[in-house]
Amino acid sequence: MLRSIASAPSFTRAYATKLAKWPRPKPGTAERPAYHAPDPLLNNPKAVVTELPDEDLTFIHRPPPTAPSPFSLTTNPVSPLLRPRPPQAEMPLPPPSRTPSKELPRASGQTMSEIRRLRALDPERYTCGVLARKFNVTRGFVQAIAALKKSQRKSKKRAQELVHQQARDKWSEKKTTLMMIKTKRRELW
């Protein structure tokens, strides 16, 4: 019958001595202690330490490591917000983001009065889009110069809301829930 290796006295003795030589660290600790950098103020050979015994204060003056150069961040900061502002005359304008294809014609006073007249005459027939296409202007321009009366705007908004509500009534339960969640998120955030 073979004896196991662990039960041999020489193996046990060698294993026990190795444990004494190289003890394992405690769980959760490092193999070697953490590095603590020396204090640069106290360990600087050029530092001048002045103690005031009356007030229990210690002043440590450490000169800068190098002389300020023209490219140092103190005299020439990287951020344009920290740099001194040049005079306005030297500042060039940024290039245009897009070049206009053609000069847009300006609407004459007669055109504007005609837009106002038609809009007031029948706002249902002469909507902003219809007038914008007819006079070759934008819808926003028509809304700006020929705004509806407050009562007309309210009735138009009510009619639009009714159309929207009829569309919402056709939604499924899932879509209704999702839209309610989206509305609540907009309220909270």
Side-chain angles (χ1 to χ4, degrees), residues 101-137:
S101 57
K102 60 178 182 173
E103 189 67 32
L104 296 174
R106 296 190 61 83
S108 64
Q110 184 182 3
T111 306
M112 287 192 267
S113 61
E114 184 64 18
I115 290 173
R116 286 188 190 108
R117 187 185 70 76
L118 291 174
R119 186 83 166 137
L121 184 69
D122 189 5
E124 294 297 322
R125 181 175 170 201
Y126 296 109
T127 61
C128 291
V130 169
L131 292 172
R133 283 189 296 277
K134 183 174 181 179
F135 292 101
N136 196 21
V137 292

Side-chain angles (χ1 to χ4, degrees), residues 64-83:
T66 57
S69 70
F71 302 109
S72 75
L73 297 179
T74 325
T75 56
N76 186 21
V78 175
S79 171
L81 299 174
L82 298 175
R83 290 184 191 146

Side-chain angles (χ1 to χ4, degrees), residues 7-153:
S7 63
S10 61
F11 178 80
T12 310
R13 192 177 309 117
Y15 183 73
T17 54
K18 281 183 185 173
L19 279 178
K21 281 185 186 174
W22 299 289
R24 299 293 302 151
K26 292 178 184 175
T29 60
E31 291 278 337
R32 61 174 66 127
Y35 174 73
H36 296 289
D39 188 359
L41 291 176
L42 296 175
N43 298 326
N44 190 350
K46 296 179 183 176
V48 179
V49 179
T50 308
E51 292 189 20
L52 300 175
D54 298 343
E55 301 169 15
D56 290 334
L57 294 174
T58 303
F59 290 105
I60 301 171
H61 178 264
R62 180 173 61 102
T66 57
S69 70
F71 302 109
S72 75
L73 297 179
T74 325
T75 56
N76 186 21
V78 175
S79 171
L81 299 174
L82 298 175
R83 290 184 191 146
R85 295 184 71 182
Q88 290 291 338
E90 296 176 16
M91 205 177 233
L93 291 173
S97 59
R98 59 182 175 171
T99 55
S101 57
K102 60 178 182 173
E103 189 67 32
L104 296 174
R106 296 190 61 83
S108 64
Q110 184 182 3
T111 306
M112 287 192 267
S113 61
E114 184 64 18
I115 290 173
R116 286 188 190 108
R117 187 185 70 76
L118 291 174
R119 186 83 166 137
L121 184 69
D122 189 5
E124 294 297 322
R125 181 175 170 201
Y126 296 109
T127 61
C128 291
V130 169
L131 292 172
R133 283 189 296 277
K134 183 174 181 179
F135 292 101
N136 196 21
V137 292
T138 62
R139 294 181 70 210
F141 180 75
V142 174
Q143 288 174 349
I145 66 164
L148 294 174
K149 293 177 185 171
K150 196 169 187 177
S151 60
Q152 290 174 323
R153 278 200 311 268

